[in-house]
Amino acid sequence: MTFMNKLPSAKRAQILQMMVEGVSIRAISRMTGASKNTIVKLLADAGNACADYQDKNLRGLTCKRLQVDEIWSFVYAKAKNVSTAKAAPEGAGDVWTWTAICADTKLIPSFHVSSRDAVDANVFMRDVAERLAHRIQLTSDGHKSYLDAVERAFGDDIDYVMLVKHYGAAKGEDQRRYSPAECIGTTKGVVTGRPDMKHVSTSYAERQNLSMRMGIRRFTRLTNAFSKKVENHCHALAIYFMHYNYVRIHQTLRVTPAMAAGVSKTLWTMEDVVATVEAWEARAAE
């Protein structure tokens, strides 16, 4: 067996790169020769380290316009099947990932994995508010939980618009299962402040959802690649967003979102991420 403390940094960087490119754990094991247990251990350590680093460093952000949205997935089994699933772990069922994205820098300053209720909306929006340096313009979809959550987190110190999409009649059964109904219009409702209406949009947040669906193996539909434990689901997301914010150059910006937002002066590599993971491991071992 290959033990975690004997994996060289270059190998760890290779494994993490494969994770963020959507390669499954079993496939990573076959291609690298590392055991499945070793890879899962790296997933957990890297997930904790990336979450800790971003939580501490994505503060005092000077974002001007944010968009928020939620994306559905599930752990172990869909909610309707949990009661009949064999040995379903705690946290099994539907999970939602709440994300905020800066419309200018494309930085993801906050994400939250939970249910889609009002309690978690409040947790998410409070975290978003605590990371910002000044007043922003915010656009959300029509999810009603945002109304109270935004008010509690920001009070009147925000320019907030809710963008509600209207959809046409339901399609046939097969089409309804695999594609959304056609959007036939939108309604922009000013909730707080005096937002600039030409910047009211959730397009970046929705495109980010698509990137997550395509890039994170655990979000792939109609496969058996879904997460089996909610903890590993969260770890995979933390690594994905670390790579997205600090390592991957945005095609339009020509720099990483972290560089565009001024939270990093340099382009990171996966070796830099591994160094962050190893620093976290050293602190955890003290």
Side-chain angles (χ1 to χ4, degrees), residues 25-272:
I25 288 177
R26 291 182 183 277
I28 293 173
S29 178
R30 290 193 297 269
M31 288 187 281
T32 65
S35 73
K36 180 182 174 182
N37 288 343
T38 296
I39 297 168
V40 172
K41 178 64 166 57
L42 176 58
L43 170 69
D45 285 351
N48 283 321
C50 290
D52 179 70
Y53 184 88
Q54 292 177 97
D55 180 55
K56 292 177 178 177
N57 287 274
L58 297 182
R59 301 280 178 178
L61 301 174
T62 57
C63 301
K64 297 179 181 178
R65 296 181 289 123
L66 288 183
Q67 300 175 12
V68 292
D69 203 4
E70 327 83 53
I71 180 172
W72 172 85
S73 186
F74 68 92
V75 170
Y76 196 81
K78 295 178 181 178
K80 64 180 181 180
N81 298 325
V82 170
S83 61
T84 58
K86 183 178 180 180
E90 183 177 356
D94 294 353
V95 294
W96 291 82
T97 303
W98 305 67
T99 57
I101 185 169
C102 175
D104 299 303
T105 68
K106 309 306 182 291
L107 183 77
I108 303 290
S110 177
F111 75 96
H112 178 59
V113 179
S114 61
S115 64
R116 198 171 179 246
D117 60 22
V119 173
D120 288 300
N122 277 278
V123 172
F124 172 62
M125 291 312 307
R126 185 168 60 249
D127 183 71
V128 171
E130 291 173 351
R131 298 181 183 279
L132 302 171
H134 52 65
R135 186 184 184 103
I136 63 159
Q137 176 166 322
L138 176 71
T139 308
S140 76
D141 61 16
H143 186 37
K144 293 182 179 179
S145 293
Y146 282 118
L147 292 171
D148 180 66
V150 173
E151 181 179 2
R152 286 175 178 268
F154 293 93
D156 294 330
D157 191 26
I158 191 170
D159 300 309
Y160 173 38
V161 180
M162 181 171 277
L163 181 64
V164 180
K165 292 189 175 182
H166 306 288
Y167 294 93
K171 301 178 180 180
E173 177 62 26
D174 289 341
Q175 289 179 304
R176 187 168 65 250
R177 288 184 63 191
Y178 303 118
S179 61
E182 181 183 359
C183 179
I184 59 175
T186 61
T187 300
K188 300 177 181 179
V190 177
V191 180
T192 307
R194 300 178 62 185
D196 184 345
M197 300 305 288
K198 71 174 180 288
H199 291 304
V200 173
S201 173
T202 56
S203 296
Y204 293 128
E206 292 168 0
R207 182 60 179 83
Q208 177 59 30
N209 283 350
L210 175 61
S211 295
M212 292 170 62
R213 187 74 71 188
M214 295 175 64
I216 304 176
R217 182 66 172 155
R218 296 162 190 271
F219 282 76
T220 305
R221 296 182 184 274
L222 303 179
T223 73
N224 63 354
F226 53 85
S227 297
K228 311 309 184 290
K229 296 180 180 180
V230 69
E231 295 84 1
N232 289 344
H233 193 78
C234 295
H235 295 325
L237 280 163
I239 296 168
Y240 172 85
F241 286 125
M242 186 79 168
H243 178 266
Y244 170 84
N245 282 332
Y246 288 89
V247 180
R248 190 172 71 183
I249 295 176
H250 192 280
Q251 289 185 352
T252 302
L253 300 175
R254 303 294 180 90
V255 293
T256 64
M259 294 172 70
V263 296
S264 175
K265 295 182 179 180
T266 59
L267 174 64
W268 284 42
T269 65
M270 289 308 292
E271 286 73 17
D272 296 318

